[in-house]
Amino acid sequence: MKFRGRIIDVACLSHFTRVITTISRLAKACVLRLTPDNLFFVLSGKVANGGVSMWCELSQANFFDEYQMEGVSSEANEICLEVAPENLSRALKTVQNAKSVKLKLTKKHCPCLTVAAELPTLSRVSRVVTHDVPVDVIPRKLWHEFKEPSMPDFDVSIYLPPLKTMKNVVDRMKNLSNFLVMEANLSGEMNLKIDTDLVSVSTHFKELGNPAWGDDASQDGGVSPSRDAESMSQVRVDIRKLQQFLMGQQVNPSKAMCNIVHQRILHLILLHEDVSLQYFIPAVA
């Protein structure tokens, strides 16, 4: 197994760091899956994670000037590593003014993802700063746990309001309740609601728009055409998990949307040119 990548462009390094920082705020540990064309950051929806799962996909060509990898074998040309994204984020943040940054899979006292940055210097002597981020190599027999999640058979798909606005609403609601109900319909309307013995609060959004899913989406094209456009589908979730998603977001997506599987799953999607991030929050009774 070999992996080596090099980032020279400052904007690419900054963007890559923002993506890793976003992931670090969503997961203490996750799996980094390396393929010849893509990098994937995966959190599988186990009970230990509170049932939350994540799938973030990056095209390596949009970030790396040089990228070389050799997987476990020719027919299984992948590498799967368990990594603490916070450690990787911290290493990248310290080298933002570097002339170039190399990421390399190395073997030190344990397997490491080594971040080596060539820093600007006034003399002819080059300055290189190195950070070793420990990783665990995932055996091939467990790879099936880290495949792309299938699109759930959703009842409603809707574009989200500005994430900063949504975060402000959720922050205020968190002071009043541990749980939040999100509901939406096919007329571009979405409500965020909390309901306790002491207080009921609801925030309404209109004219958000509904994505048009193609034939490869769930339910033969997303939502059944016979569904009443005004009918609300809802999901009740742990408000801290939704807040965590909104607080961690640094990708500045061009599109933000969510799919609701009625009373089962909230599926959040952020899209930005070369990055896609999916986040699944299970419903609570």
Side-chain angles (χ1 to χ4, degrees), residues 67-86:
Y67 184 92
Q68 299 168 340
M69 61 98 33
E70 291 179 19
V72 173
S73 63
S74 56
E75 71 274 7
N77 195 16
E78 294 185 17
I79 301 172
C80 283
L81 308 169
E82 185 171 23
V83 61
E86 171 65 29

Side-chain angles (χ1 to χ4, degrees), residues 173-185:
M173 288 183 167
K174 181 177 174 288
N175 296 325
L176 302 170
S177 176
N178 293 326
F179 303 101
L180 173 145
V181 172
M182 181 186 288
E183 61 179 17
N185 64 18

Side-chain angles (χ1 to χ4, degrees), residues 15 20 29 35 51 55 83 94 110 121-122 132 141-142 159 170 173 245-246 253 260 270 275:
H15 187 23
I20 304 300
T35 69
W55 176 268
V83 61
T94 63
C110 66
T121 177
L122 297 174
D132 291 324
K141 64 183 179 183
L142 298 178
Y159 289 112
V170 171
M173 288 183 167
F245 172 80
L246 295 169
I260 294 176
L270 303 182
V275 180

Side-chain angles (χ1 to χ4, degrees), residues 104-114 137:
K104 189 175 182 182
L105 183 60
T106 57
K107 178 75 173 172
K108 304 287 176 87
H109 54 316
C110 66
C112 289
L113 203 56
T114 295
V137 177

